Amino acid sequence: MKQKNIIFYFSDQQRWDTINETVSPNLCRLAGEGVKFENNFTCQPVCGPARACLQSGKYATQVGCYWNGIPLPENTKTLAHHFNDAGYQTAYIGKWHLASDRLPGVGLHCEKTAVPKEKQGGYQYWRAADVLEFTSHGYDGYVFDGDGNKLDFKGYRADCINDYALEFIENRDKEKPFFMFVSQLEPHHQNDHRHIEGYKETVDTFKSYPLPDDLTFLRGNYKEEYPDYISACNRLDYNVGKLIEKLKAEGIYDDTIIIYTSDHGAHFKTRNPEYKRCCHESATHTPLIIKGGGFEGGHCEERLSSLIDLPPTILSMAGIPIPDDYSGIDLTRQINKTDEKRDCVFIQISEASNSRAIRTDRFKYEVRDIAPMGYAHHSSNAYWESYLYDLKKDPAEKHNLVKDPRYRHVRQELKYLLLEQMSLAGEEAPVILPALIKRRK
């Protein structure tokens, strides 16, 4: 049986609700040929840890990359290593975010310089920067090849990163299958400008684009940033269309599996002082489309899925054995089983807080420890209940029910479900205490 090519197309900070005919017609067409997962969630709503989960197949606390700026351990067997062993060509293009240390003056720092060969995760073809937002802006910048040579680019960043992917497809060894990981930065904000940089020609088009309900009842910067955000998402979609055209021109579209998803979403400073690092749908609910490899027919999958499921799923589609220590579920085994359903997805949250959460079909439940920030430690032996949302009644998460006595039994059930998920992720069972209730005077 001929091995399929696999393209993993990864955006940064893209909400699930940006996949529609207005913003993303090419992705909608792709979903019409494959499967669109309506309830997909990140397992870690921050850039570096989410990428570590993808490359390692393990939760962030298991692989040790639970904050931004913790390098992927050099003994990690990445997706590239598995595909290299199986005879694939492997390529990584775009943002890596798994090489530099977070502490100034400690360890390796390559935020603006080339990632050393031994830190490139085993990928054979390399057109990347460790922290792409430090080597580029929305327009213009640079990446590096695998030998550390600087490659300048001019034009909109998403277009230029996509062009490196097209270059690889054109110059690949046509006798071998390939696994290509395309890691775009859009629609992530530009750190030094504190502003999202959309595609200039279309930003005005989206100035009247409707704001999501989960933002508008809270303070944030969505009014200023959302047109650029949607413009950037739309330009990503344009580039996915260009990639599909290239695959068809090369005669390999039908032989190529395409996976499209994002590391986390964006809440536009409504839930904390930045864009992510919280349990809310705006930060954790992400798009997922898979075309090929058994995912066909334009089906919309309502069952829960997670970013942590993608490493075993990718290996399974390539016929590569899944390591025993992988944490996710192989979605190829359940996609045709209508009766197979998981209870929840598990989310580890760090940096803004040290938190754990689960998302069921109906409820969102989060606990956090007492520290005001999550940088001091990545786990705790005691957590307090912090959020409970009934998503059936309150999809915009306006009403926190964590202190509502009518939901006491729900919190109890969810607490034990969360403890089970923490145990499966290798965490020691903590004490989970009720939220502190202020006494009335």
Side-chain angles (χ1 to χ4, degrees):
M1 183 177 177
K2 185 178 180 181
Q3 290 175 299
K4 295 277 190 178
N5 307 307
I6 299 177
I7 296 174
F8 193 98
Y9 211 99
F10 202 43
S11 62
D12 195 327
Q13 210 162 275
Q14 185 174 6
R15 295 167 55 100
W16 85 101
D17 52 7
T18 57
I19 306 300
N20 57 62
E21 290 289 350
T22 301
V23 179
S24 45
N26 290 305
L27 284 168
C28 286
R29 280 192 287 273
L30 190 70
E33 299 178 39
V35 175
K36 181 183 180 187
F37 290 78
E38 300 286 1
N39 290 297
N40 187 66
F41 296 85
T42 188
C43 54
Q44 235 290 1
V46 65
C47 302
R51 284 162 174 75
C53 294
L54 275 177
Q55 293 300 327
S56 69
K58 303 173 188 177
Y59 283 106
T61 55
Q62 292 174 308
V63 73
C65 298
Y66 32 77
W67 298 319
N68 271 339
I70 298 179
L72 195 67
E74 289 190 19
N75 62 352
T76 303
K77 188 163 186 177
T78 67
L79 290 174
H81 292 127
H82 288 289
F83 278 95
N84 290 341
D85 292 346
Y88 277 71
Q89 300 167 85
T90 54
Y92 196 95
I93 294 158
K95 174 178 174 175
W96 179 237
H97 215 163
L98 291 172
S100 298
D101 285 276
R102 60 182 282 263
L103 296 176
V106 176
L108 175 71
H109 285 274
C110 51
E111 292 91 345
K112 295 183 179 181
T113 57
V115 176
K117 181 74 75 174
E118 67 273 13
K119 294 283 189 177
Q120 295 174 10
Y123 285 90
Q124 299 164 1
Y125 181 94
W126 183 265
R127 297 288 185 273
D130 192 39
V131 189
L132 187 57
E133 54 266 50
F134 286 10
T135 69
S136 62
H137 290 91
Y139 284 82
D140 306 339
Y142 60 91
V143 294
F144 299 91
D145 67 16
D147 296 321
N149 298 306
K150 183 180 176 183
L151 305 174
D152 293 305
F153 61 78
K154 295 286 184 182
Y156 193 57
R157 177 171 49 206
D159 296 357
C160 298
I161 295 301
N162 199 69
D163 285 345
Y164 289 125
L166 303 182
E167 176 188 89
F168 169 75
I169 291 170
E170 187 168 323
N171 297 325
R172 75 193 190 282
D173 182 347
K174 295 178 173 56
E175 299 301 314
K176 293 181 179 181
F178 65 83
F179 170 65
M180 178 171 64
F181 198 114
V182 183
S183 181
Q184 293 274 17
L185 184 61
E186 273 60 44
H188 192 286
H189 59 286
Q190 188 63 40
N191 296 48
D192 56 351
H193 291 177
R194 299 181 181 179
H195 172 62
I196 297 163
E197 298 186 27
Y199 185 61
K200 292 176 182 177
E201 294 183 21
T202 61
V203 171
D204 286 346
T205 305
F206 294 107
K207 283 199 170 174
S208 60
Y209 188 84
L211 292 164
D213 292 340
D214 64 328
L215 301 181
T216 54
F217 69 99
L218 296 164
R219 291 182 179 179
N221 66 352
Y222 45 84
K223 289 182 181 179
E224 301 86 358
E225 298 298 325
Y226 213 63
D228 278 271
Y229 182 82
I230 294 298
S231 169
C233 292
N234 176 252
R235 197 62 181 178
L236 286 178
D237 181 80
Y238 165 82
N239 278 292
V240 170
K242 281 189 67 177
L243 182 66
I244 290 171
E245 289 176 5
K246 184 66 173 178
L247 294 172
K248 290 180 177 178
E250 294 282 316
I252 57 173
Y253 179 69
D254 292 336
D255 295 324
T256 302
I257 296 164
I258 301 175
I259 301 157
Y260 186 95
T261 191
S262 191
D263 53 353
H264 51 76
H267 60 67
F268 295 89
K269 301 186 179 183
T270 55
R271 302 293 185 172
N272 60 39
E274 39 86 40
Y275 285 83
K276 52 227 175 194
R277 300 178 179 91
C278 73
C279 71
H280 298 87
E281 298 284 283
S282 49
T284 59
H285 195 171
T286 54
L288 174 61
I289 296 167
I290 305 178
K291 189 280 296 183
F295 297 83
E296 286 104 10
H299 172 57
C300 282
E301 177 57 68
E302 298 287 345
R303 287 173 292 184
L304 298 166
S305 59
S306 170
L307 188 76
I308 202 69
D309 298 335
L310 297 181
T313 303
I314 292 167
L315 295 186
S316 177
M317 289 191 291
I320 298 171
I322 300 169
D324 293 337
D325 61 358
Y326 266 32
S327 295
I329 292 172
D330 175 7
L331 297 176
T332 68
R333 298 183 62 181
Q334 71 172 38
I335 191 63
N336 294 318
K337 296 180 180 178
T338 57
D339 58 341
E340 191 164 323
K341 183 179 176 182
R342 73 209 299 170
D343 294 324
C344 66
V345 290
F346 175 53
I347 304 164
Q348 296 178 324
I349 302 167
S350 62
E351 299 190 1
S353 65
N354 175 43
S355 306
R356 302 292 183 267
I358 53 172
R359 209 282 196 180
T360 71
D361 283 343
R362 179 168 177 176
F363 294 104
K364 173 80 58 57
Y365 175 74
E366 189 214 60
V367 301
R368 63 178 60 194
D369 75 0
I370 202 166
M373 296 289 287
Y375 282 107
H377 48 267
H378 66 275
S379 63
S380 182
N381 56 13
Y383 292 88
W384 278 260
E385 294 178 328
S386 51
Y387 290 109
L388 173 67
Y389 294 105
D390 186 338
L391 299 169
K392 183 177 180 181
K393 296 179 180 179
D394 179 28
E397 297 174 315
K398 295 181 179 182
H399 307 291
N400 184 4
L401 304 170
V402 76
K403 297 178 183 179
D404 191 326
R406 295 171 297 176
Y407 283 81
R408 185 181 295 111
H409 69 287
V410 173
R411 291 196 299 273
Q412 188 75 356
E413 291 177 8
L414 294 175
K415 178 176 79 169
Y416 288 112
L417 188 56
L418 175 60
L419 287 169
E420 179 184 38
Q421 293 299 310
M422 292 176 72
S423 176
L424 290 172
E427 298 193 52
E428 293 187 11
V431 175
I432 296 179
L433 301 167
L436 298 175
I437 299 176
K438 293 181 180 178
R439 293 182 179 178
R440 292 182 180 179
K441 292 182 180 179

